[in-house]
Amino acid sequence: MNTPTGQQNVIATAGWEDILRDGEEILWQGRPNTKLSLLPVRPMQVVMGIFFTVFAIFWVSMAISMTWSSNAPWFFRYVFPLFGMIFVFVGLHMAGGYAFTRAYRARHTWYTLTNRHAFVATNLPLKGKRLKSYPITVKTALDYDGGHPGTIYFAHDVRRGRNGTYRVPVGFERIEEASEVYRLMRDIQSGDET
C-alpha cells in the first residue's frame, strides 16, 4: 500500500483496531490547512455583517447612554447593554470573523481515508470528541475543487434549522495533498486502491 507521496505507508493503526472492518486498511491521514482564509467570499453576507455590526454598536451605545444618564438600578446599567454585544459578535462573525471560526475548527479536525471509508474526527469544546465515517463506493459522488489546498466533498449531513432541514456538504476540506487523495478515492471506486 502506498501513500500519496509514493513512499511506503507508515501510518500508525494503533487505536483503530475496533473501528476498522476486516480487510480495511488506512491509505491516508491528514488535517486541514489551518491558515486564515476569507475564501470563499460571500459579498452579501459580508455587507449584511457590516450593517448588523454597525447597528448593534449603535444599539449598545444608546443603551449605555440611556441607562447611565438615569437613576436606573445597577443591573440595567451594567447588564442591559451587554445583551447587545451578542449582536455585535454575530455581525463581526458574518463580516469576516467566520475565517477565525473555520481556522479554529480546522485545528481540531483530523481526516482518515481507508480503502472503504472516509473518516472525519473532531474534538471541539462543548461537543467533545466525534468520529463520523462515510462509505466510499462506486455511487459516491466526489466533488473536487482542484485548489491548493483543495477540498474534496463526498457526502452530505442533514441539519435542522429554523425553516426546516438543510444539507451541509461533508469532505476533506483544505488539504494539501488534495489531488493525490482524490486519485486514491477514484482508485477505491474502481476497485484498485493499492
Side-chain angles (χ1 to χ4, degrees):
M1 165 177 34
N2 293 328
T3 62
T5 59
Q7 300 172 344
Q8 282 300 90
N9 186 3
V10 291
I11 298 172
T13 57
W16 287 88
E17 297 86 0
D18 295 336
I19 298 169
L20 301 181
R21 295 179 179 171
D22 290 338
E24 190 169 10
E25 298 176 359
I26 295 175
L27 303 178
W28 172 83
Q29 288 183 308
R31 300 187 69 185
N33 186 308
T34 59
K35 293 180 182 174
L36 284 178
S37 173
L38 293 174
L39 299 174
V41 175
R42 298 180 185 103
M44 287 305 298
Q45 176 181 330
V46 172
V47 170
M48 288 299 296
I50 292 169
F51 174 77
F52 205 78
T53 303
V54 170
F55 179 78
I57 290 171
F58 172 75
W59 188 91
V60 169
S61 64
M62 291 303 293
I64 290 172
S65 68
M66 289 188 326
T67 56
W68 281 87
S69 63
S70 66
N71 290 330
W74 70 268
F75 175 81
F76 288 110
R77 285 188 188 177
Y78 294 103
V79 178
F80 187 63
L82 292 179
F83 287 117
M85 293 305 295
I86 295 169
F87 298 102
V88 171
F89 291 127
V90 168
L92 290 173
H93 182 268
M94 290 171 59
Y98 60 86
F100 294 96
T101 305
R102 189 168 45 207
Y104 180 81
R105 184 176 178 83
R107 285 188 197 97
H108 296 86
T109 301
W110 296 265
Y111 300 136
T112 299
L113 177 67
T114 72
N115 56 343
R116 295 183 188 170
H117 293 90
F119 292 90
V120 178
T122 56
N123 186 6
L124 297 168
L126 303 177
K127 291 187 176 182
K129 293 181 180 180
R130 291 188 178 187
L131 178 65
K132 290 188 173 185
S133 71
Y134 303 89
I136 304 298
T137 66
V138 176
K139 295 181 181 181
T140 302
L142 299 177
D143 182 9
Y144 171 42
D145 69 1
H148 187 77
T151 296
I152 306 166
Y153 291 117
F154 46 77
H156 286 90
D157 277 346
V158 177
R159 298 201 180 146
R160 197 175 292 258
R162 281 185 240 144
N163 300 323
T165 58
Y166 61 97
R167 291 165 38 117
V168 176
V170 175
F172 297 151
E173 297 180 347
R174 296 178 43 77
I175 56 174
E176 298 296 331
E177 311 90 353
S179 60
E180 292 87 357
V181 173
Y182 180 69
R183 180 189 56 77
L184 280 173
M185 295 175 99
R186 296 294 305 228
D187 289 346
I188 292 167
Q189 290 183 316
S190 67
D192 183 26
E193 69 275 358
T194 55

